[in-house]
Every structure is written in C-alpha cells, then in structure tokens.
Amino acid sequence: MSIPAFDFDNSYARELEGFYVPWKGAEVPAPRMIRFNHALADELGLDGKALDTDAGAAILVGHQAPEGAEPLAMAYAGHQFGGFSPQLGDGRALLLGEVIDRQGKRRDIHLKGSGRTPFSRGGDGKAVLGPVLREYIIGEAMHALGVPTTRALAAVATGEEVMRQDGPEPGAVLARVASSHLRVGTFQFFAARGETERLRQLADYAIARHYPDLAGRPDRYLGLLKAVRDRQAALIVKWMLIGFVHGVMNTDNMTISGETIDYGPCAFIDGYDPATVFSSIDQHGRYAYGNQPKIAQWNLARLAETLLDLINPDDSDNAVRQAGEVINGFPLSYERAWIAGMRTKLGLVRDEPDDMELAVGLLAVLETQNADFTRVFRSLSRAASGEVSETRSLFANPAGFDVWLPLWQARLAREDTPAEERIAAMNRVNPVYIPRNHMVEAALASATKGDLAPFERLVEVLADPFTEREGLEVFALGAPSDFGPYTTYCGT
C-alpha cells in the first residue's frame, strides 16, 4: 500500500524548538475513512484520490506519518472559565505538518483525537465519532457562512471503542486545517515561566506568519496586539451576526490568526436571547451568546499581559498604558464592524447616525418574542419589497415588529438602491440554512448507529447556506416544540 505524498514545509518545528514535544499518534486497530473533503484537499494541493483510501486513513488518524511530517504536540497554557492553568497543551492532538496551499498560504494539518501525549493530564487522548462529526459539520458550515475557521479535511474511524460517561462509543480522529494553531494560551505558557526571549521568538514568528507588514518595526509587538484585537473583533461580529455560540471561549481557544477553533459545546441560537447558553459546563453563563464580545476583550487583555516586556522593556508603566489603550479600543473596533454587518443584513448601504438604534430596536423586539433569529432576518429581503406577512408570522405577537417596521421602511426609502440589488445583497448575508441544533443531533445520532446518510445530507445542504432550494424546507426550520432545552458537551 503506497503512502500518499505531502509537500511539507514545517516552520513551527523548524523555528520554534522547545515550544513543543515531538510525538506520534497512537496505533489504532482499523483506520477507515468516514468522510474526506476533496474540495479542501484540492485547495491545499493534495492528492485527494490518494488520500481518500486506507493508506490516507492511516495517515490522517495519526497511525502512520508520511515522509516529511514532523508530528508534534504543541505547548500552551490558558484561562479556562477564568481560572489559569499554566500547562495545557495538545493533550489529544498532533500537528502533523504544514503545507503551502495553491494560493501560497501556509496551512497546518492537525489531528484531533490521535492519542495520549505528554500534555494529556490523565486523559485518554482519544476522540469519539459524534464530536468529530460535529466539528466537521460546524467547521464546514462556518466556512460556507463566510466565517474565518479551522476546516475539516477528514473524519477517520479508528476501529476501536472509547469509553465515555454513557459507555463505549466508536473512536474517531478529525484531520483539520488552519492558518496556524497559535493561541493566546501559547503566549501565556511562556509568559507564566518568565521566558521573555522565547516570548519574543514566538511573537516574531506570529508576526512573520500572520502579520508580515509589522515585521522589523520598532513597535511591532504593540502592532501585533492591535492586529489580533481587530481580527478577533471582526470574528466575534461574524459569530453574533449568524447567532453562533462558541461555548468555551477559554484563552487556549482564541487564535492569533483570528480563526474560530475548537468546536466542542458549540451551537446556534434559534430564538433570539442574548443569555443563551448551551454548554453543560458553563453553569454561570460566562460564555453566553451575548457575552462573547466582552469575553473576547477579556481574553485579549490576557494576551496584552504577556506582551508587556516586549512592548516596552524599559518602562513597564508606559507598556501598560499603551497596551491598555489597545484593549480599551476593542469595543469601538467591534461596534464599527457590528453595525456595518447589521446594515448589510437590514438592506442598508449608507451610514446614518440612527442606524445603531434601528438595529438594536429590532433585536429588542426579537428578544421579547424569542423569535427565530435566522428566519426573521432572511425574511426581511421580502419585507423590504413590501411582502411583510412572512416576517409578521414569525412573531407570536407582532405588535412590537409593527412599531419597528415603518421606521425601517422610512430608512430604506432614504436610499436609492434598486429593489433587486437590495434583495440580492441581503440574501448574500442572511442565510436560509444554518446547522440547526436538532438537525445536527439527529445526524450525529444516526451516524453513531452506523447510518451516515443524514450527516452527508446535512453537510451537503450547509455547503450552500444562502441559496434557498426547493425540497429543503425542513432544514430552514427551528427545533420542534418537543426538542426541549438543548445542552451540548465538550466530547472528552
């Protein structure tokens, strides 16, 4: 059986010795490809036909390293639900290597669930089928929705049973792709140890990889903090505009690249409620939907703390002042991106001073009615043309919407955008299909029992979330009344 080839260029292993532990994946009894992402493989310049085989499964489960791979477990720390853990690291994952894609961009290939590492802290290092397929579904859906994200290259069965709280479950590994796996927690790992020169090495590596325009500048470390702030603000805005709840925004789950990472207890809201929490371990609502911007700012403050000695090693007070100004600028950076996104969702082009009040007013109406966030916004493109009955029907009591509606209509009337152009623009940002929680759960339950058809169908539908298609009406609906309160789990 020939081994599929990769053209690796492993800068992390080459340039950051001491930031990781060389490691290899656990042997598994029967690696088997469950789902392979041929479109992503082509984007990466990989031979998808060769990888979508038993030989490819053996590689992407971590069982066999191809030529040029330098598998390693990355070191990082992190604040988890506000409490600091000085050593976390890849406890059940490996960075297989890096490739340069067809656009000349460096991409990590990372294996999640590949077995115990020195960072496992007593865990088994394994993943099971349900959470692996969840991450495949959500990551690919987020990509199609235009959200920066890690992506799924493959889901691979291991052929073993893994013990979890409810008993044995089929083992699996997710091969995922990212611009990098550098995290706020990576910086915290070395800051907690007082290793300033390694911090400098890490910061320079992050700048060269993600923010090359900053390279060599005397203020590059402050510039790095500002650039990460703005990317994270833009990312969280995208989450909020589609109703996504990450569920576990620990600092080890915030990337320097500005990509969404680690789809554990994540979900999408149906009815609009800023207090929505899905994660079983978020008992106090720290990572509730409406808290996500504040948590992002809090996490960025932790990044700022790690960079103080680099920003101004000779004047700590000045370093704190400069970093504080950057962090305190997060709300403005976020607000600018959010209102720009909301204008597009509402069919507006020009900026007007009262747009914030208009947008917040609609959300207030949605909240009082617990109205379906996705369906209401999608229906607005028809309401903008005068067909308001569908939108009104989505409110149990449309009185509040009826008050808001003429304000929006008057605002639309002050613009001269042609109706067809406005509708098309709104439909490009207001999806028809999102990973509805009940649909995801049904697909995962079927897959765990051996029927992958619902999973395959859901992935297919979510690959084109903005195009309404006949026969797919069920995928656009919220959860049925008997679905009940929804709770998600991290999968470990």
Side-chain angles (χ1 to χ4, degrees):
M1 185 169 58
S2 61
I3 301 176
F6 292 75
D7 187 12
F8 285 116
D9 181 36
N10 302 323
S11 65
Y12 194 92
R14 183 172 63 243
E15 299 176 26
L16 295 177
E17 186 176 353
F19 291 65
Y20 58 86
V21 177
W23 206 251
K24 63 179 182 178
E27 293 189 5
V28 299
R32 175 180 57 83
M33 193 68 68
I34 301 170
R35 184 126 191 335
F36 185 79
N37 192 334
H38 283 270
L40 179 56
D42 183 66
E43 186 180 309
L44 297 173
L46 302 177
D47 185 346
K49 186 176 180 180
L51 280 169
D52 193 6
T53 60
D54 289 345
I59 290 171
L60 296 177
V61 82
H63 186 82
Q64 183 171 5
E67 183 178 352
E70 298 178 77
L72 56 89
M74 304 172 78
Y76 51 84
H79 276 87
Q80 299 190 310
F81 290 88
F84 185 62
S85 296
Q87 180 171 304
L88 296 171
D90 283 335
R92 57 173 184 150
L94 292 175
L95 175 60
L96 185 65
E98 303 161 32
V99 298
I100 309 300
D101 70 16
R102 293 187 185 276
Q103 301 300 316
K105 297 178 181 177
R106 183 176 297 276
R107 311 280 284 277
D108 283 357
I109 298 178
H110 195 256
L111 309 180
K112 188 173 181 180
S114 52
R116 287 178 52 82
T117 78
F119 299 113
S120 293
R121 297 178 297 152
D124 61 14
K126 305 288 188 179
V128 297
L129 184 62
V132 164
L133 295 185
R134 175 189 295 277
E135 185 152 350
Y136 195 113
I137 292 168
I138 306 296
E140 287 304 287
M142 293 284 272
H143 172 70
L145 288 163
V147 182
T149 180
T150 58
R151 293 189 62 192
L153 178 60
V156 189
T158 63
E160 61 186 347
E161 294 292 305
V162 177
M163 286 302 300
R164 288 293 180 259
Q165 185 172 352
D166 294 331
E169 298 186 38
V173 171
L174 179 79
R176 68 183 181 188
V177 174
S179 294
S180 85
H181 285 77
L182 299 176
R183 312 156 188 261
V184 171
T186 316
F187 285 78
Q188 291 181 292
F189 183 89
F190 297 100
R193 289 159 175 75
E195 298 185 34
T196 303
E197 287 311 306
R198 283 196 165 174
L199 267 175
R200 187 186 311 279
Q201 187 181 358
L202 177 62
D204 286 338
Y205 176 84
I207 288 168
R209 185 158 179 176
H210 295 299
Y211 306 97
D213 290 348
L214 297 173
R217 282 173 36 177
D219 63 344
R220 62 188 178 276
Y221 304 119
L222 188 66
L224 172 63
L225 180 62
K226 183 178 184 296
V228 176
R229 177 201 71 187
D230 290 344
R231 280 202 189 173
Q232 283 294 332
L235 176 67
I236 305 304
V237 163
K238 288 182 178 293
W239 290 3
M240 301 300 286
L241 293 177
I242 59 172
F244 174 74
V245 184
H246 186 279
V248 61
M249 288 179 66
N250 298 330
T251 57
D252 55 295
N253 290 337
M254 176 178 273
T255 63
I256 302 304
S257 65
E259 292 172 306
T260 315
I261 190 172
D262 284 334
Y263 294 102
C266 62
F268 283 72
I269 60 172
D270 280 336
Y272 179 79
D273 180 0
T276 300
V277 173
F278 295 112
S279 171
S280 65
I281 55 177
D282 192 1
Q283 298 294 321
H284 303 290
R286 177 181 175 85
Y287 299 143
Y289 169 72
N291 285 347
Q292 292 179 135
K294 292 184 291 186
I295 291 296
Q297 184 179 15
W298 191 91
N299 287 350
L300 288 164
R302 308 289 77 75
L303 175 63
E305 291 166 354
T306 72
L307 296 174
L308 292 176
D309 286 345
L310 304 182
I311 290 171
N312 194 329
D314 301 319
D315 187 343
S316 59
D317 289 342
N318 193 41
V320 169
R321 179 187 62 78
Q322 290 178 291
E325 289 176 354
V326 171
I327 299 304
N328 290 337
F330 178 89
L332 181 59
S333 181
Y334 173 86
E335 183 179 292
R336 285 173 174 168
W338 185 84
I339 192 58
M342 283 298 292
R343 282 193 185 98
T344 307
K345 289 177 75 69
L346 292 172
L348 306 175
V349 176
R350 294 197 309 269
D351 299 355
E352 290 195 6
D354 293 337
D355 288 347
M356 178 65 74
E357 184 179 352
L358 184 71
V360 171
L362 176 58
L363 295 182
V365 176
L366 287 170
E367 184 176 358
T368 60
Q369 295 286 298
N370 197 33
D372 191 294
F373 180 81
T374 301
R375 294 183 68 195
V376 167
F377 273 99
R378 180 67 182 197
S379 73
L380 287 180
S381 63
R382 286 183 278 275
S385 300
E387 302 174 19
V388 300
S389 58
E390 179 185 350
T391 308
R392 292 187 81 252
S393 72
L394 296 172
F395 296 90
N397 179 356
F401 175 73
D402 290 341
V403 172
W404 178 86
L405 179 63
L407 303 176
W408 176 56
Q409 289 173 326
R411 175 67 179 85
L412 292 175
R414 293 197 292 273
E415 300 200 355
D416 55 4
T417 307
E420 289 185 5
E421 184 179 320
R422 173 181 287 137
I423 290 170
M426 294 175 73
N427 287 343
R428 282 195 296 269
V429 297
N430 291 315
V432 186
Y433 313 109
I434 60 168
R436 295 284 185 175
N437 302 326
H438 64 293
M439 302 293 286
V440 172
E441 286 303 315
L444 299 184
S446 292
T448 301
K449 296 175 183 176
D451 179 9
L452 286 167
F455 162 77
E456 294 283 0
R457 183 60 167 154
L458 186 57
V459 170
E460 176 190 350
V461 170
L462 296 174
D464 187 9
F466 299 105
T467 304
E468 192 166 359
R469 285 157 282 167
E470 188 175 348
L472 301 182
E473 292 80 7
V474 66
F475 290 94
L477 300 178
S481 58
D482 61 357
F483 185 62
Y486 185 49
T487 302
T488 58
Y489 303 88
C490 65
T492 54

